[in-house]
Amino acid sequence: MHEFGVAAAVLEAVDARAAGRGVRALRLHVGALQRLDRSVFDQAFAMIADGGVAQDAAVDVVEVAVEVRCHGCAATATGPELITTCPGCAGHDLELVAGDDLVLESITLADRDAPVRAEQEVG
């Protein structure tokens, strides 16, 4: 279950940003290719965060669709799975633009109203 590894990496990034202050909420961008099982991740995060700065923090996960760009015709395509054939020219020389992301976008500290912009790739 890679969800435990993801949860541990996220918590490490949160701990570094929080610097000992309590965390009320955090927001992640997770690419579809991460294949994150949300219920398993939520359980793993709660277990790992128990007793720490992010205990009981709300976790908002934004799923990022897969996006590819064709080197042959410059067309782009998006979808929930890996795209291996360009819909514009049927070529296979594609560049992955998005979809394998794991980014801690922000955290909201318990003692402040404004979220802390994190923008840190995790893992």
Side-chain angles (χ1 to χ4, degrees):
M1 283 191 228
H2 91 108
E3 286 80 5
F4 279 88
V6 171
V10 167
L11 189 57
E12 183 178 323
V14 168
D15 282 343
R17 294 287 187 260
R21 297 170 291 180
V23 174
R24 183 176 22 184
L26 58 119
R27 183 178 182 118
L28 303 172
H29 283 225
V30 180
L33 295 178
Q34 292 286 337
R35 304 222 191 297
L36 194 70
D37 181 319
R38 187 60 200 274
S39 64
V40 174
F41 173 79
D42 288 345
Q43 291 174 359
F45 189 83
M47 185 182 307
I48 294 170
D50 188 40
V53 297
Q55 179 175 326
D56 300 324
V59 180
D60 181 24
V61 175
V62 177
E63 186 169 306
V64 178
V66 173
E67 181 180 353
V68 296
R69 180 180 306 117
C70 179
H71 287 264
C73 72
T76 60
T78 60
E81 298 286 330
L82 185 60
I83 300 164
T84 59
T85 303
C86 175
C89 69
H92 297 287
D93 188 12
L94 304 175
E95 173 187 358
L96 182 64
V97 176
D100 63 346
D101 320 71
L102 181 55
V103 176
L104 173 61
E105 179 187 334
S106 65
I107 61 174
T108 302
L109 300 174
D111 59 345
R112 299 186 190 220
D113 291 331
V116 175
R117 298 296 295 176
E119 289 297 327
Q120 175 181 350
E121 288 199 33
V122 179

